[in-house]
Amino acid sequence: MACPPPGLYDSFTERGLFWLAGKHKDEVPGTLAYDPENGAVLTLLGMFGKVHESFRRALGGSREGEAVIHGVTMKGKPVSLLHALDTKHQFHMPGIASETWTSNLMVIGAHITSSEEPIFPKCYFRFDEIETWLKHSPFTATHDTEAKTLNVLAEKPRETPFASHAEFNVSTVGSLFSDNKPDTRFVIDVISQIAITPPEPRSLDWHLDRAARLQELASLCTGHYLPLTSFELRGPNVELGGGGTVPSEVHLYSRLIHGESGLARTTKRRTPIITGPELIRFNPQAVQHWFDQFEAFDPALRLFFTITAQRQMFTNIQLLLAIQALEVFHRRTGGDTVMPEADFASFADDMTAAIPASANPDMREKLESLYRFANEPSLKQRLRAIIASLTQAFGEAPGGFNGKFLRKLVDTRNYYTHFSEELSERTFDGEGMYWATRRVILLLTLLFLQRIGLAAADIKPLLERHREFAQLWAKADRPR
């Protein structure tokens, strides 16, 4: 192939014939356009069904939810638009009517009617910086100065087992593309992918869910969010012209990036906190642990990626979200309480009974609410517990998280939550809030890595090679 197929961040247009699923005889020519901001938009030169049916759709009188549209492009590729909505009608009198349909989930390469059909035995996906995380270096260059020659060897990564899970296997693989059409250049592109193979065919939703979780694991290991850039499936076998069959190649296109028009590129090489091969070497069951505990720390992970993926956010809001993520993680994974839960119920009853009878209803309601959550550790208590746990695991107290820093972190959170004048002089300034956020992100990263089975002895060398995290861990001063 001359170039890789379009990915989730690419834009393209295809012409072809389209019809509502199950009504193949009612083919209508149209143009299908995709871009990452708007998803798939199908403009028909005509309309599906009779004129009165389109009128009813336009007026909303016959709409029964969303539709499924099938089609075939001029290149012979099957197309499916799921959850399609009829958004625009133009009735020309006289003239040819037209309709516009939109879809947030499109596949090219197969006709399907639901994303829950268990028909896909394998999937492949890519995310930003995947080659760096997998440590794939496909190009080797040698040059001869005297002969004025440059030789470039491109080696496609072979499919290699990466990790195993009780429900599927994970492997890594590469693809090589070349293009020599331009008169003055020759282009070679080698891309890496991760593959998921279950023991039996699964649905699009199933594959996409597992791919997204692995992509987020790589993002955590890298230190910043890595957007999913392509997703393809191997579908049911299709017949070849000369006989025999081959698995269909199905590509997904969806508005997964929430309106972003493109990826922010940087020429700076960023070394991951821990690469994929290192992760599996330190703990071969890391992927299994990640999936086993995903539901428990998923809310904290959403907040974590909101912070690390968003480049433009007020520093105080960023710090509040980071602290919230840390609290959520500790609550959902630790289960710590101020006193034994078995003793707290009677304690809370005694506290409630002690409320004076003269207390007005509003005060009684407030106190009863406070007592219900009185056994939850405070933010300061949670921070102390986390630091004590890390100190025990790493064999040293993190210098950047002394008592002064923790007190100021709590005061800053409380100030920007309640805006109490009493706390206004005890908060971080703007730069201080930025670095406080980075310290909390460091804590979360270490906690996540521990939860998936990495020992402190393995994490510590990784921490030391990350210049910023190493300084934040070692001392309370701001990194230089």
Side-chain angles (χ1 to χ4, degrees), residues 113-132:
T113 57
S114 169
S115 59
E116 299 177 354
E117 298 178 58
I119 58 175
F120 300 106
K122 196 170 188 176
C123 74
Y124 298 89
F125 63 96
R126 282 178 48 77
F127 47 80
D128 197 27
E129 301 181 32
I130 186 174
E131 286 82 11
T132 301

Side-chain angles (χ1 to χ4, degrees), residues 102-118:
T102 62
S103 170
N104 288 336
L105 186 61
M106 172 178 70
V107 297
I108 295 181
H111 287 149
I112 63 174
T113 57
S114 169
S115 59
E116 299 177 354
E117 298 178 58

